[in-house]
Amino acid sequence: MPAIPASVLRLAAALALMTVGSGAMYVVVVVLPAVQQEFGVDRASASLPYTLTLIGFGIGGVLMGRLADRFGIAVPLAVGACGLAAGYALSALAPSLMTFAIAHGVLLGMLGCSATFSPLVADTSLWFTRRRGIAVTICASGNYVAGALWPPIVQRALDAWGWRQTYLALAVFCLVTMLPLTLAMRRRPPLLDTAAAPGVPASAAVPAPAIAPAPAAGAEPGDVPAVADGPAPVTMPAVANPHARPIGMAPGPLQTLLCIAGVACCVAMSMPQVHIVAYCADLGFGVARGAEMLSLMLGFGIVSRIGSGFICDRIGGLKTLLLGSVMQGIALILFLPADTVMSLYLVSILFGLFQGGIVPMYAIVVRENFPAAETGGRVGLAITATLLGMALGGWLSGKLFDLTGSYQAAFLNGIGWNAVNVIIVVYLLLFRRRSRAGASPYAMGRSTAQGA
């Protein structure tokens, strides 16, 4: 029986870590009514811990990504495990709602959840070349798995023990599960292990071969194959700094456009995910129906994420991002005429199938177009943009509902933001095509290598 590759074992550990670490995002939603009752506050105030968790998640993603770039993934994971344990424990002992909210924003969000999303996605992208798309999307599915797994578990614990005891149990659980898994993630990616000395970038550690081999399917010019997903020699591009101008565009503008696209796509994505329960209640179908539709979105979102990975490995990150964004726009349009229970169930399933793979594609696009040593920080920026989009979209949809008394304007707003995302991705694809058609550094470098 052949041995299981180290990259596959590492992917399984990453999936488990993300499933545990992302739980705080969903636990706080389940305990919201109990917390509201105990502290005697209104619904808006009781929602503050969730809002701060999301903001902390976004800010921490950048910080943890840069920490992973410098010290390796094990360091932010250890910080995340301790942050989650401390956050759950402090929340369980909180004497006021403000203490409860701060514990969620700083410890559970910025130091906890953030360490188990962007850094894990970035790290996974460094261990795979031929199957990078499917590997990254499997890893990112841990967030949706947490959404499907934790709410019913926490609800039962809540009924049996109360929310404070449930939080204490979660604190212990995070420590005893995440720290051992963190030990399994100590090894640095093969690509980064090739650095010859401090201050020498990985891209300069191995001399270029006389003849540059053809890149793997879905790989970008200048990409360096990782050895973890199969026996493949570490090869280098013929140019000294192939990522100085990703796809022919300066790194700064490219990162900016990706962040704007991430905000736009997730403002659109947030409308159904955040408001489908309230929407069903307004239509007279009841909160339970809306919760079922939300579960269907998340469940089929897992299918979408994994499926988009297979597609990405064949057509690349940007094209897969465009495909998902266009399909998400179609699903949002279908929400407009849907006003029956069955039609909403159907559109919710379609929305989950169409949008689940979008966010991981930003990580893939970053990995395809930036140096490996910058992956953690740049993926963190891109993922933070998507989280800010979710936060903005959730609030903006509610504001439009307050102003108009209907969610129709909110859906139209989402469709408009989604169009912005599509336009940016189309522009990047056209820019890349024009750059490759001309005398780009990539084209000249590869032609020189192949003619040597």
Side-chain angles (χ1 to χ4, degrees), residues 96-144:
S96 66
L97 178 66
M98 186 54 62
T99 303
F100 185 82
I102 292 174
H104 277 73
V106 176
L107 295 174
L108 291 172
M110 188 170 69
L111 299 179
C113 293
S114 66
T116 59
F117 193 83
S118 299
L120 282 173
V121 171
D123 181 78
T124 298
S125 74
L126 295 171
W127 281 81
F128 292 83
T129 298
R130 293 190 296 274
R131 305 177 185 88
R132 181 182 298 149
I134 184 61
V136 167
T137 51
I138 288 175
C139 176
S141 295
N143 184 265
Y144 279 6

mmCIF file of all heavy atoms in Angstrom, residues 96-144:
data_model
loop_
_atom_site.group_PDB
_atom_site.id
_atom_site.type_symbol
_atom_site.label_atom_id
_atom_site.label_comp_id
_atom_site.label_asym_id
_atom_site.label_seq_id
_atom_site.Cartn_x
_atom_site.Cartn_y
_atom_site.Cartn_z
ATOM 1 N N SER A 96 -20.331 41.799 31.582
ATOM 2 C CA SER A 96 -21.151 42.732 30.808
ATOM 3 C C SER A 96 -21.080 42.390 29.334
ATOM 4 O O SER A 96 -20.179 41.665 28.891
ATOM 5 C CB SER A 96 -20.662 44.175 31.021
ATOM 6 O OG SER A 96 -19.356 44.337 30.476
ATOM 7 N N LEU A 97 -22.002 42.955 28.572
ATOM 8 C CA LEU A 97 -22.019 42.715 27.136
ATOM 9 C C LEU A 97 -20.764 43.293 26.474
ATOM 10 O O LEU A 97 -20.240 42.704 25.533
ATOM 11 C CB LEU A 97 -23.270 43.324 26.509
ATOM 12 C CG LEU A 97 -23.374 43.187 24.983
ATOM 13 C CD1 LEU A 97 -23.518 41.725 24.580
ATOM 14 C CD2 LEU A 97 -24.529 44.007 24.429
ATOM 15 N N MET A 98 -20.282 44.447 26.967
ATOM 16 C CA MET A 98 -19.101 45.056 26.353
ATOM 17 C C MET A 98 -17.885 44.153 26.488
ATOM 18 O O MET A 98 -17.110 43.979 25.548
ATOM 19 C CB MET A 98 -18.835 46.423 26.981
ATOM 20 C CG MET A 98 -17.706 47.193 26.312
ATOM 21 S SD MET A 98 -17.946 47.380 24.507
ATOM 22 C CE MET A 98 -19.464 48.320 24.454
ATOM 23 N N THR A 99 -17.692 43.563 27.668
ATOM 24 C CA THR A 99 -16.585 42.622 27.846
ATOM 25 C C THR A 99 -16.746 41.425 26.921
ATOM 26 O O THR A 99 -15.778 40.962 26.296
ATOM 27 C CB THR A 99 -16.522 42.138 29.304
ATOM 28 O OG1 THR A 99 -16.403 43.261 30.166
ATOM 29 C CG2 THR A 99 -15.344 41.198 29.518
ATOM 30 N N PHE A 100 -17.959 40.919 26.813
ATOM 31 C CA PHE A 100 -18.263 39.801 25.929
ATOM 32 C C PHE A 100 -17.929 40.164 24.481
ATOM 33 O O PHE A 100 -17.318 39.380 23.750
ATOM 34 C CB PHE A 100 -19.750 39.451 26.075
ATOM 35 C CG PHE A 100 -20.197 38.242 25.311
ATOM 36 C CD1 PHE A 100 -20.012 36.965 25.818
ATOM 37 C CD2 PHE A 100 -20.835 38.382 24.081
ATOM 38 C CE1 PHE A 100 -20.438 35.850 25.115
ATOM 39 C CE2 PHE A 100 -21.264 37.268 23.374
ATOM 40 C CZ PHE A 100 -21.075 36.000 23.893
ATOM 41 N N ALA A 101 -18.298 41.385 24.066
ATOM 42 C CA ALA A 101 -18.068 41.816 22.685
ATOM 43 C C ALA A 101 -16.579 42.006 22.399
ATOM 44 O O ALA A 101 -16.079 41.618 21.336
ATOM 45 C CB ALA A 101 -18.836 43.102 22.403
ATOM 46 N N ILE A 102 -15.845 42.610 23.339
ATOM 47 C CA ILE A 102 -14.415 42.830 23.141
ATOM 48 C C ILE A 102 -13.671 41.497 23.061
ATOM 49 O O ILE A 102 -12.752 41.320 22.251
ATOM 50 C CB ILE A 102 -13.848 43.709 24.276
ATOM 51 C CG1 ILE A 102 -14.408 45.128 24.158
ATOM 52 C CG2 ILE A 102 -12.326 43.729 24.237
ATOM 53 C CD1 ILE A 102 -14.034 46.036 25.307
ATOM 54 N N ALA A 103 -14.071 40.545 23.894
ATOM 55 C CA ALA A 103 -13.449 39.223 23.846
ATOM 56 C C ALA A 103 -13.639 38.585 22.476
ATOM 57 O O ALA A 103 -12.735 37.928 21.948
ATOM 58 C CB ALA A 103 -14.039 38.324 24.931
ATOM 59 N N HIS A 104 -14.807 38.800 21.882
ATOM 60 C CA HIS A 104 -15.059 38.245 20.554
ATOM 61 C C HIS A 104 -14.248 38.967 19.478
ATOM 62 O O HIS A 104 -13.666 38.332 18.594
ATOM 63 C CB HIS A 104 -16.554 38.319 20.223
ATOM 64 C CG HIS A 104 -17.343 37.188 20.787
ATOM 65 N ND1 HIS A 104 -17.623 37.087 22.132
ATOM 66 C CD2 HIS A 104 -17.896 36.096 20.201
ATOM 67 C CE1 HIS A 104 -18.331 35.984 22.347
ATOM 68 N NE2 HIS A 104 -18.499 35.360 21.194
ATOM 69 N N GLY A 105 -14.198 40.290 19.543
ATOM 70 C CA GLY A 105 -13.498 41.031 18.507
ATOM 71 C C GLY A 105 -12.005 40.832 18.533
ATOM 72 O O GLY A 105 -11.373 40.598 17.487
ATOM 73 N N VAL A 106 -11.392 40.898 19.727
ATOM 74 C CA VAL A 106 -9.932 40.858 19.834
ATOM 75 C C VAL A 106 -9.409 39.421 19.895
ATOM 76 O O VAL A 106 -8.514 39.038 19.128
ATOM 77 C CB VAL A 106 -9.457 41.648 21.074
ATOM 78 C CG1 VAL A 106 -7.944 41.529 21.236
ATOM 79 C CG2 VAL A 106 -9.861 43.104 20.957
ATOM 80 N N LEU A 107 -9.953 38.619 20.819
ATOM 81 C CA LEU A 107 -9.407 37.272 21.042
ATOM 82 C C LEU A 107 -9.977 36.246 20.069
ATOM 83 O O LEU A 107 -9.219 35.536 19.400
ATOM 84 C CB LEU A 107 -9.686 36.844 22.484
ATOM 85 C CG LEU A 107 -8.972 37.684 23.561
ATOM 86 C CD1 LEU A 107 -9.437 37.277 24.955
ATOM 87 C CD2 LEU A 107 -7.466 37.540 23.442
ATOM 88 N N LEU A 108 -11.286 36.157 19.970
ATOM 89 C CA LEU A 108 -11.878 35.146 19.086
ATOM 90 C C LEU A 108 -11.760 35.517 17.619
ATOM 91 O O LEU A 108 -11.564 34.644 16.763
ATOM 92 C CB LEU A 108 -13.349 34.941 19.460
ATOM 93 C CG LEU A 108 -13.596 34.267 20.813
ATOM 94 C CD1 LEU A 108 -15.077 34.280 21.167
ATOM 95 C CD2 LEU A 108 -13.077 32.839 20.808
ATOM 96 N N GLY A 109 -11.858 36.811 17.294
ATOM 97 C CA GLY A 109 -11.795 37.230 15.904
ATOM 98 C C GLY A 109 -10.385 37.498 15.414
ATOM 99 O O GLY A 109 -9.848 36.770 14.585
ATOM 100 N N MET A 110 -9.741 38.543 15.968
ATOM 101 C CA MET A 110 -8.444 38.991 15.454
ATOM 102 C C MET A 110 -7.309 38.014 15.735
ATOM 103 O O MET A 110 -6.433 37.807 14.884
ATOM 104 C CB MET A 110 -8.098 40.358 16.052
ATOM 105 C CG MET A 110 -6.864 40.989 15.428
ATOM 106 S SD MET A 110 -6.617 42.706 15.909
ATOM 107 C CE MET A 110 -6.195 42.514 17.634
ATOM 108 N N LEU A 111 -7.303 37.378 16.922
ATOM 109 C CA LEU A 111 -6.229 36.456 17.266
ATOM 110 C C LEU A 111 -6.611 34.994 17.090
ATOM 111 O O LEU A 111 -5.736 34.126 17.119
ATOM 112 C CB LEU A 111 -5.769 36.682 18.716
ATOM 113 C CG LEU A 111 -5.205 38.064 19.038
ATOM 114 C CD1 LEU A 111 -4.810 38.145 20.506
ATOM 115 C CD2 LEU A 111 -4.019 38.404 18.152
ATOM 116 N N GLY A 112 -7.884 34.700 16.927
ATOM 117 C CA GLY A 112 -8.340 33.316 16.864
ATOM 118 C C GLY A 112 -8.733 32.867 15.472
ATOM 119 O O GLY A 112 -7.951 32.227 14.759
ATOM 120 N N CYS A 113 -9.944 33.218 15.038
ATOM 121 C CA CYS A 113 -10.441 32.772 13.726
ATOM 122 C C CYS A 113 -9.502 33.156 12.594
ATOM 123 O O CYS A 113 -9.288 32.385 11.654
ATOM 124 C CB CYS A 113 -11.820 33.379 13.458
ATOM 125 S SG CYS A 113 -13.138 32.789 14.520
ATOM 126 N N SER A 114 -8.927 34.363 12.673
ATOM 127 C CA SER A 114 -8.099 34.848 11.569
ATOM 128 C C SER A 114 -6.899 33.956 11.312
ATOM 129 O O SER A 114 -6.431 33.833 10.177
ATOM 130 C CB SER A 114 -7.624 36.273 11.872
ATOM 131 O OG SER A 114 -6.756 36.285 12.987
ATOM 132 N N ALA A 115 -6.373 33.326 12.364
ATOM 133 C CA ALA A 115 -5.189 32.473 12.208
ATOM 134 C C ALA A 115 -5.506 31.170 11.511
ATOM 135 O O ALA A 115 -4.598 30.484 11.030
ATOM 136 C CB ALA A 115 -4.569 32.188 13.575
ATOM 137 N N THR A 116 -6.778 30.807 11.447
ATOM 138 C CA THR A 116 -7.158 29.515 10.873
ATOM 139 C C THR A 116 -7.907 29.658 9.555
ATOM 140 O O THR A 116 -8.613 28.742 9.142
ATOM 141 C CB THR A 116 -8.016 28.714 11.869
ATOM 142 O OG1 THR A 116 -9.197 29.464 12.186
ATOM 143 C CG2 THR A 116 -7.248 28.433 13.150
ATOM 144 N N PHE A 117 -7.727 30.788 8.875
ATOM 145 C CA PHE A 117 -8.330 30.907 7.544
ATOM 146 C C PHE A 117 -7.281 31.340 6.524
ATOM 147 O O PHE A 117 -6.692 30.507 5.848
ATOM 148 C CB PHE A 117 -9.528 31.860 7.545
ATOM 149 C CG PHE A 117 -10.331 31.751 6.280
ATOM 150 C CD1 PHE A 117 -11.272 30.753 6.141
ATOM 151 C CD2 PHE A 117 -10.121 32.612 5.210
ATOM 152 C CE1 PHE A 117 -12.004 30.611 4.960
ATOM 153 C CE2 PHE A 117 -10.842 32.495 4.037
ATOM 154 C CZ PHE A 117 -11.787 31.492 3.913
ATOM 155 N N SER A 118 -7.014 32.634 6.416
ATOM 156 C CA SER A 118 -6.077 33.112 5.387
ATOM 157 C C SER A 118 -4.711 32.428 5.451
ATOM 158 O O SER A 118 -4.198 31.988 4.410
ATOM 159 C CB SER A 118 -5.911 34.628 5.495
ATOM 160 O OG SER A 118 -7.133 35.288 5.289
ATOM 161 N N PRO A 119 -4.073 32.315 6.634
ATOM 162 C CA PRO A 119 -2.750 31.656 6.660
ATOM 163 C C PRO A 119 -2.804 30.203 6.210
ATOM 164 O O PRO A 119 -1.887 29.726 5.537
ATOM 165 C CB PRO A 119 -2.336 31.760 8.140
ATOM 166 C CG PRO A 119 -3.086 32.934 8.660
ATOM 167 C CD PRO A 119 -4.409 32.887 7.952
ATOM 168 N N LEU A 120 -3.878 29.473 6.563
ATOM 169 C CA LEU A 120 -3.986 28.077 6.145
ATOM 170 C C LEU A 120 -4.207 27.958 4.640
ATOM 171 O O LEU A 120 -3.647 27.074 3.984
ATOM 172 C CB LEU A 120 -5.124 27.391 6.905
ATOM 173 C CG LEU A 120 -4.818 26.978 8.342
ATOM 174 C CD1 LEU A 120 -6.076 26.477 9.039
ATOM 175 C CD2 LEU A 120 -3.733 25.908 8.390
ATOM 176 N N VAL A 121 -5.037 28.846 4.092
ATOM 177 C CA VAL A 121 -5.254 28.840 2.644
ATOM 178 C C VAL A 121 -3.954 29.136 1.913
ATOM 179 O O VAL A 121 -3.590 28.465 0.936
ATOM 180 C CB VAL A 121 -6.345 29.856 2.268
ATOM 181 C CG1 VAL A 121 -6.420 30.027 0.758
ATOM 182 C CG2 VAL A 121 -7.708 29.408 2.802
ATOM 183 N N ALA A 122 -3.229 30.155 2.392
ATOM 184 C CA ALA A 122 -1.959 30.517 1.755
ATOM 185 C C ALA A 122 -0.947 29.384 1.864
ATOM 186 O O ALA A 122 -0.252 29.056 0.891
ATOM 187 C CB ALA A 122 -1.406 31.790 2.398
ATOM 188 N N ASP A 123 -0.845 28.777 3.036
ATOM 189 C CA ASP A 123 0.111 27.684 3.242
ATOM 190 C C ASP A 123 -0.217 26.495 2.344
ATOM 191 O O ASP A 123 0.673 25.885 1.754
ATOM 192 C CB ASP A 123 0.092 27.258 4.707
ATOM 193 C CG ASP A 123 1.080 26.132 4.993
ATOM 194 O OD1 ASP A 123 2.281 26.413 5.109
ATOM 195 O OD2 ASP A 123 0.632 24.965 5.079
ATOM 196 N N THR A 124 -1.494 26.168 2.220
ATOM 197 C CA THR A 124 -1.898 25.050 1.364
ATOM 198 C C THR A 124 -1.494 25.294 -0.083
ATOM 199 O O THR A 124 -1.054 24.377 -0.789
ATOM 200 C CB THR A 124 -3.415 24.827 1.466
ATOM 201 O OG1 THR A 124 -3.761 24.494 2.819
ATOM 202 C CG2 THR A 124 -3.874 23.705 0.542
ATOM 203 N N SER A 125 -1.614 26.544 -0.538
ATOM 204 C CA SER A 125 -1.259 26.855 -1.927
ATOM 205 C C SER A 125 0.226 26.640 -2.208
ATOM 206 O O SER A 125 0.629 26.463 -3.362
ATOM 207 C CB SER A 125 -1.641 28.299 -2.255
ATOM 208 O OG SER A 125 -0.752 29.224 -1.635
ATOM 209 N N LEU A 126 1.058 26.658 -1.156
ATOM 210 C CA LEU A 126 2.495 26.466 -1.332
ATOM 211 C C LEU A 126 2.894 25.002 -1.385
ATOM 212 O O LEU A 126 4.038 24.686 -1.719
ATOM 213 C CB LEU A 126 3.247 27.159 -0.184
ATOM 214 C CG LEU A 126 3.145 28.681 -0.123
ATOM 215 C CD1 LEU A 126 3.756 29.199 1.173
ATOM 216 C CD2 LEU A 126 3.828 29.313 -1.324
ATOM 217 N N TRP A 127 1.997 24.097 -1.042
ATOM 218 C CA TRP A 127 2.323 22.674 -0.993
ATOM 219 C C TRP A 127 1.825 21.908 -2.221
ATOM 220 O O TRP A 127 2.061 20.715 -2.336
ATOM 221 C CB TRP A 127 1.739 22.046 0.273
ATOM 222 C CG TRP A 127 2.558 22.337 1.485
ATOM 223 C CD1 TRP A 127 2.550 23.478 2.230
ATOM 224 C CD2 TRP A 127 3.535 21.481 2.090
ATOM 225 N NE1 TRP A 127 3.455 23.386 3.257
ATOM 226 C CE2 TRP A 127 4.075 22.164 3.201
ATOM 227 C CE3 TRP A 127 3.996 20.205 1.805
ATOM 228 C CZ2 TRP A 127 5.053 21.611 4.016
ATOM 229 C CZ3 TRP A 127 4.970 19.651 2.630
ATOM 230 C CH2 TRP A 127 5.494 20.358 3.715
ATOM 231 N N PHE A 128 1.103 22.571 -3.086
ATOM 232 C CA PHE A 128 0.538 21.896 -4.263
ATOM 233 C C PHE A 128 0.811 22.732 -5.504
ATOM 234 O O PHE A 128 0.802 23.962 -5.460
ATOM 235 C CB PHE A 128 -0.976 21.702 -4.111
ATOM 236 C CG PHE A 128 -1.364 20.719 -3.037
ATOM 237 C CD1 PHE A 128 -1.445 21.117 -1.709
ATOM 238 C CD2 PHE A 128 -1.658 19.400 -3.349
ATOM 239 C CE1 PHE A 128 -1.800 20.221 -0.712
ATOM 240 C CE2 PHE A 128 -2.014 18.499 -2.360
ATOM 241 C CZ PHE A 128 -2.079 18.917 -1.030
ATOM 242 N N THR A 129 1.044 22.054 -6.599
ATOM 243 C CA THR A 129 1.189 22.720 -7.889
ATOM 244 C C THR A 129 0.149 22.190 -8.877
ATOM 245 O O THR A 129 -0.729 22.915 -9.308
ATOM 246 C CB THR A 129 2.600 22.510 -8.457
ATOM 247 O OG1 THR A 129 3.541 23.099 -7.560
ATOM 248 C CG2 THR A 129 2.737 23.166 -9.817
ATOM 249 N N ARG A 130 0.213 20.921 -9.202
ATOM 250 C CA ARG A 130 -0.715 20.362 -10.186
ATOM 251 C C ARG A 130 -2.148 20.362 -9.684
ATOM 252 O O ARG A 130 -3.077 20.507 -10.458
ATOM 253 C CB ARG A 130 -0.278 18.939 -10.571
ATOM 254 C CG ARG A 130 1.036 18.873 -11.335
ATOM 255 C CD ARG A 130 1.270 17.473 -11.886
ATOM 256 N NE ARG A 130 1.423 16.502 -10.804
ATOM 257 C CZ ARG A 130 2.581 16.250 -10.201
ATOM 258 N NH1 ARG A 130 3.668 16.917 -10.562
ATOM 259 N NH2 ARG A 130 2.663 15.365 -9.237
ATOM 260 N N ARG A 131 -2.334 20.171 -8.383
ATOM 261 C CA ARG A 131 -3.686 20.112 -7.825
ATOM 262 C C ARG A 131 -3.927 21.265 -6.856
ATOM 263 O O ARG A 131 -4.652 21.115 -5.881
ATOM 264 C CB ARG A 131 -3.892 18.763 -7.117
ATOM 265 C CG ARG A 131 -3.611 17.558 -7.998
ATOM 266 C CD ARG A 131 -3.754 16.264 -7.220
ATOM 267 N NE ARG A 131 -3.383 15.097 -8.023
ATOM 268 C CZ ARG A 131 -2.154 14.622 -8.125
ATOM 269 N NH1 ARG A 131 -1.164 15.203 -7.455
ATOM 270 N NH2 ARG A 131 -1.879 13.575 -8.877
ATOM 271 N N ARG A 132 -3.336 22.398 -7.134
ATOM 272 C CA ARG A 132 -3.433 23.522 -6.209
ATOM 273 C C ARG A 132 -4.878 23.992 -6.029
ATOM 274 O O ARG A 132 -5.322 24.290 -4.927
ATOM 275 C CB ARG A 132 -2.564 24.684 -6.696
ATOM 276 C CG ARG A 132 -2.593 25.894 -5.764
ATOM 277 C CD ARG A 132 -1.760 27.024 -6.326
ATOM 278 N NE ARG A 132 -0.368 26.619 -6.440
ATOM 279 C CZ ARG A 132 0.459 27.063 -7.369
ATOM 280 N NH1 ARG A 132 0.021 27.894 -8.297
ATOM 281 N NH2 ARG A 132 1.710 26.659 -7.395
ATOM 282 N N GLY A 133 -5.629 24.066 -7.112
ATOM 283 C CA GLY A 133 -7.000 24.564 -7.023
ATOM 284 C C GLY A 133 -7.865 23.726 -6.107
ATOM 285 O O GLY A 133 -8.529 24.247 -5.205
ATOM 286 N N ILE A 134 -7.867 22.422 -6.299
ATOM 287 C CA ILE A 134 -8.710 21.555 -5.480
ATOM 288 C C ILE A 134 -8.219 21.538 -4.042
ATOM 289 O O ILE A 134 -9.011 21.492 -3.089
ATOM 290 C CB ILE A 134 -8.771 20.127 -6.077
ATOM 291 C CG1 ILE A 134 -9.733 19.252 -5.270
ATOM 292 C CG2 ILE A 134 -7.415 19.496 -6.156
ATOM 293 C CD1 ILE A 134 -11.151 19.730 -5.232
ATOM 294 N N ALA A 135 -6.898 21.594 -3.839
ATOM 295 C CA ALA A 135 -6.358 21.584 -2.476
ATOM 296 C C ALA A 135 -6.781 22.830 -1.709
ATOM 297 O O ALA A 135 -7.212 22.750 -0.548
ATOM 298 C CB ALA A 135 -4.830 21.483 -2.519
ATOM 299 N N VAL A 136 -6.667 23.996 -2.337
ATOM 300 C CA VAL A 136 -7.047 25.248 -1.665
ATOM 301 C C VAL A 136 -8.537 25.276 -1.362
ATOM 302 O O VAL A 136 -8.961 25.702 -0.278
ATOM 303 C CB VAL A 136 -6.635 26.456 -2.542
ATOM 304 C CG1 VAL A 136 -7.300 27.738 -2.038
ATOM 305 C CG2 VAL A 136 -5.128 26.624 -2.517
ATOM 306 N N THR A 137 -9.355 24.818 -2.278
ATOM 307 C CA THR A 137 -10.801 24.859 -2.036
ATOM 308 C C THR A 137 -11.233 23.848 -0.979
ATOM 309 O O THR A 137 -12.175 24.106 -0.219
ATOM 310 C CB THR A 137 -11.578 24.625 -3.340
ATOM 311 O OG1 THR A 137 -11.095 23.431 -3.994
ATOM 312 C CG2 THR A 137 -11.405 25.799 -4.289
ATOM 313 N N ILE A 138 -10.574 22.697 -0.915
ATOM 314 C CA ILE A 138 -10.867 21.746 0.173
ATOM 315 C C ILE A 138 -10.525 22.378 1.510
ATOM 316 O O ILE A 138 -11.298 22.312 2.472
ATOM 317 C CB ILE A 138 -10.092 20.429 -0.026
ATOM 318 C CG1 ILE A 138 -10.693 19.633 -1.186
ATOM 319 C CG2 ILE A 138 -10.131 19.592 1.251
ATOM 320 C CD1 ILE A 138 -9.909 18.378 -1.534
ATOM 321 N N CYS A 139 -9.372 23.015 1.593
ATOM 322 C CA CYS A 139 -8.973 23.687 2.829
ATOM 323 C C CYS A 139 -9.990 24.770 3.201
ATOM 324 O O CYS A 139 -10.455 24.825 4.350
ATOM 325 C CB CYS A 139 -7.585 24.294 2.662
ATOM 326 S SG CYS A 139 -7.009 25.268 4.071
ATOM 327 N N ALA A 140 -10.346 25.622 2.245
ATOM 328 C CA ALA A 140 -11.277 26.718 2.521
ATOM 329 C C ALA A 140 -12.677 26.231 2.862
ATOM 330 O O ALA A 140 -13.455 26.963 3.476
ATOM 331 C CB ALA A 140 -11.334 27.661 1.314
ATOM 332 N N SER A 141 -12.995 24.997 2.490
ATOM 333 C CA SER A 141 -14.311 24.446 2.825
ATOM 334 C C SER A 141 -14.482 24.258 4.331
ATOM 335 O O SER A 141 -15.605 24.122 4.813
ATOM 336 C CB SER A 141 -14.514 23.095 2.122
ATOM 337 O OG SER A 141 -14.545 23.255 0.726
ATOM 338 N N GLY A 142 -13.361 24.247 5.070
ATOM 339 C CA GLY A 142 -13.463 24.102 6.519
ATOM 340 C C GLY A 142 -14.334 25.162 7.147
ATOM 341 O O GLY A 142 -15.028 24.907 8.149
ATOM 342 N N ASN A 143 -14.352 26.365 6.563
ATOM 343 C CA ASN A 143 -15.191 27.434 7.077
ATOM 344 C C ASN A 143 -16.670 27.088 6.958
ATOM 345 O O ASN A 143 -17.463 27.337 7.878
ATOM 346 C CB ASN A 143 -14.868 28.727 6.329
ATOM 347 C CG ASN A 143 -15.623 29.917 6.862
ATOM 348 O OD1 ASN A 143 -16.675 30.263 6.349
ATOM 349 N ND2 ASN A 143 -15.074 30.559 7.886
ATOM 350 N N TYR A 144 -17.059 26.512 5.824
ATOM 351 C CA TYR A 144 -18.458 26.115 5.629
ATOM 352 C C TYR A 144 -18.795 24.857 6.422
ATOM 353 O O TYR A 144 -19.916 24.695 6.902
ATOM 354 C CB TYR A 144 -18.732 25.892 4.140
ATOM 355 C CG TYR A 144 -18.996 27.154 3.356
ATOM 356 C CD1 TYR A 144 -18.869 28.406 3.945
ATOM 357 C CD2 TYR A 144 -19.349 27.101 2.009
ATOM 358 C CE1 TYR A 144 -19.102 29.556 3.226
ATOM 359 C CE2 TYR A 144 -19.589 28.254 1.279
ATOM 360 C CZ TYR A 144 -19.469 29.480 1.890
ATOM 361 O OH TYR A 144 -19.704 30.627 1.183
#
